[in-house]
């Protein structure tokens, strides 16, 4: 077997004026708790250094850019990298990234994976940006990811870590079956997915009571149909007046939830994830080589 002891490190609310140092200190506390459990890998949520700022319309771009990191690691996150390296623990976390690509500045909703030696081995940028572009006054709060971020041009990938292949995705990505299939086809045996999910979804308030169900439905179906471990990690709780769901979960390749958060605050849940268990699914019902019919799937990748 190839057991990776994994922790989902759920974070409670991060206030609008909470300094990055405060969020990082909370992350280090969870990291040290995980270290006491002899955890190999700690997974943090999406945009885990600041409040979920796409909920606010900010006409002034310099105010928006203040939520972004222009280098990584940096002064705010160095203590986290240092502590994790000292503990020999790999970790992933999401943040807002400004980077230069093809000679142009880009704003990405990013998640990085750092190995036990403190090296960034994967940088994923969010593919599926939900929400809208302009200030929509009818909404009780905004969801301006399409305004503040560029969609990733890089797609999905997986990297070698802890004896397996690990891939990343971010929040809305977890609702799209294509996310998991692309990761599985890249060889991923585990998907790390942070999220910030408001309970109230203004375009369809009649679905508000289904948010927890849809969260687990997405994580579990993705895990099962691709025979992979899925680690879903929430930024949870009442954040600046917006109620974010919790429900962080560690899902086995069979689709079973084997660990789940109980609170809406800072909390780690831990599970021994045997990556060899992917074979239970991938050598049987979802043996892609044996059963998958890409010749019949003409529309999926089409535009
Ligand atoms: N948030 C939400 C998500 O996809 C959302 C947006 C909320 C979509 C509720 C549908 C229902 O989980 C992010 N950050 O993508």
């Amino acid at each position: 077997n190839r057991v990776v002891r994994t922790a989902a490190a759920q974070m409670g609310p991060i206030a609008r004026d909470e300094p990055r140092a405060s969020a990082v200190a909370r992350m280090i506390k969870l990291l040290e708790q995980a270290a006491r459990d002899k955890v190999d890998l700690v997974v943090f949520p999406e945009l885990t250094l600041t409040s979920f700022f796409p909920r606010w319309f900010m006409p002034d771009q310099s105010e928006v850019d203040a939520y972004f990191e222009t280098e990584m690691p940096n002064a705010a996150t160095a203590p986290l990298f240092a502590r994790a390296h000292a503990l020999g623990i790999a970790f992933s976390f999401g943040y807002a990234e400004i980077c230069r690509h093809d000679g142009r500045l880009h704003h990405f909703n990013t998640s990085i994976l750092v190995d036990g030696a403190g090296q960034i081995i994967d940088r994923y940028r969010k593919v599926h940006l939900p929400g809208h572009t302009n200030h929509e006054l009818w909404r009780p709060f905004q969801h301006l990811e399409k305004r503040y971020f560029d969609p990733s041009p890089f797609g999905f990938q997986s990297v070698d870590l802890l004896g397996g292949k690990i891939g990343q995705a971010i929040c809305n990505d977890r609702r799209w079956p294509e996310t998991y299939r692309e990761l599985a086809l890249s060889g991923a045996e585990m998907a790390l997915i942070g999220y910030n999910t408001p309970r109230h979804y203004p375009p369809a308030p009649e679905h508000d009571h289904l948010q927890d169900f849809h969260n687990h439905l997405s994580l579990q179906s993705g895990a099962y149909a691709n025979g992979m471990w899925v680690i879903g990690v929430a930024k949870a709780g009442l954040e600046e007046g917006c109620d974010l769901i919790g429900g962080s979960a560690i899902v086995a390749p069979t689709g079973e939830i084997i660990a789940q958060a109980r609170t809406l605050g800072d909390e780690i849940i831990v599970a021994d994830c045997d990556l060899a268990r992917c074979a239970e699914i991938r050598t049987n019902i979802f043996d892609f080589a044996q059963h998958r019919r890409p010749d019949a799937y003409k529309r999926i990748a089409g535009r």
Side-chain angles (χ1 to χ4, degrees):
N1 61 15
R2 290 183 288 129
V3 173
V4 175
R5 178 162 291 184
T6 306
Q10 178 177 287
M11 295 276 283
I14 299 180
R16 184 170 193 164
D17 60 0
E18 186 165 344
R20 287 168 171 74
S22 165
V24 167
R26 289 165 55 188
M27 294 168 77
I28 289 173
K29 203 153 165 273
L30 295 173
L31 196 74
E32 290 176 338
Q33 190 185 337
R36 288 195 289 277
D37 273 355
K38 298 199 178 2
V39 161
D40 302 307
L41 170 64
V42 177
V43 187
F44 289 106
E46 169 192 35
L47 293 176
T48 191
L49 300 179
T50 66
S51 200
F52 188 74
F53 62 89
R55 71 165 66 89
W56 298 300
F57 176 69
M58 295 174 273
D60 171 3
Q61 188 59 36
S62 62
E63 187 182 355
V64 176
D65 287 355
Y67 287 96
F68 284 75
E69 316 301 326
T70 54
E71 56 192 38
M72 187 56 70
N74 57 24
T77 56
L80 176 66
F81 277 73
R83 195 76 190 102
H85 186 182
L87 295 168
I89 291 182
F91 63 104
S92 70
F93 69 91
Y95 66 94
E97 176 194 22
I98 287 177
C99 73
R100 184 165 293 283
H101 169 67
D102 280 352
R104 287 190 310 112
L105 272 193
H106 289 267
H107 290 71
F108 291 127
N109 187 339
T110 296
S111 184
I112 56 171
L113 178 56
V114 185
D115 68 14
Q119 297 306 309
I120 298 174
I121 58 173
D122 184 39
R123 265 179 214 271
Y124 170 73
R125 280 80 177 206
K126 189 170 181 177
V127 167
H128 299 96
L129 295 172
H132 49 103
T133 305
N134 299 311
H135 194 190
E136 295 185 4
L137 291 165
W138 63 274
R139 293 171 180 262
F141 51 87
Q142 306 298 300
H143 197 113
L144 288 162
E145 292 194 60
K146 287 191 190 300
R147 181 186 184 88
Y148 297 148
F149 298 116
D150 302 316
S152 169
F154 307 114
F156 301 95
Q157 63 272 342
S158 55
V159 294
D160 296 321
L161 180 69
L162 296 165
K165 286 187 78 72
I166 313 281
Q168 298 186 89
I170 299 175
C171 204
N172 197 254
D173 288 326
R174 79 191 187 284
R175 300 176 189 278
W176 297 81
E178 292 85 349
T179 297
Y180 301 94
R181 186 67 96 223
E182 278 290 315
L183 284 171
L185 290 170
S186 82
E189 297 166 301
M190 178 181 278
L192 316 181
I193 312 180
Y195 59 88
N196 287 243
T197 299
R199 179 165 304 286
H200 177 46
Y201 185 64
E206 68 277 16
H207 294 168
D208 286 5
H209 69 286
L210 298 172
Q211 293 306 339
D212 294 307
F213 165 61
H214 284 161
N215 179 38
H216 287 160
L217 176 67
S218 303
L219 299 172
Q220 290 179 267
S221 57
Y224 169 59
N226 295 281
M228 67 163 69
W229 289 89
V230 173
I231 320 294
V233 194
K235 163 98 84 49
L238 184 60
E239 184 175 272
E240 297 293 338
C242 185
D243 192 11
L244 302 177
I245 68 167
S248 302
I250 296 175
V251 186
T254 53
E256 297 164 285
I257 292 179
I258 58 171
Q260 186 176 332
R262 283 175 296 281
T263 73
L264 291 175
D266 294 10
E267 172 185 354
I268 65 162
I269 52 172
V270 178
D272 284 342
C273 304
D274 181 1
L275 300 183
R277 288 199 61 197
C278 298
E280 291 171 29
I281 299 286
R282 288 188 177 171
T283 61
N284 294 306
I285 177 152
F286 288 108
D287 179 332
F288 290 167
Q290 292 291 325
H291 306 306
R292 189 164 162 271
R293 293 283 315 282
D295 57 300
Y297 310 149
K298 294 193 182 354
R299 295 180 186 80
I300 291 176
R303 291 171 186 281

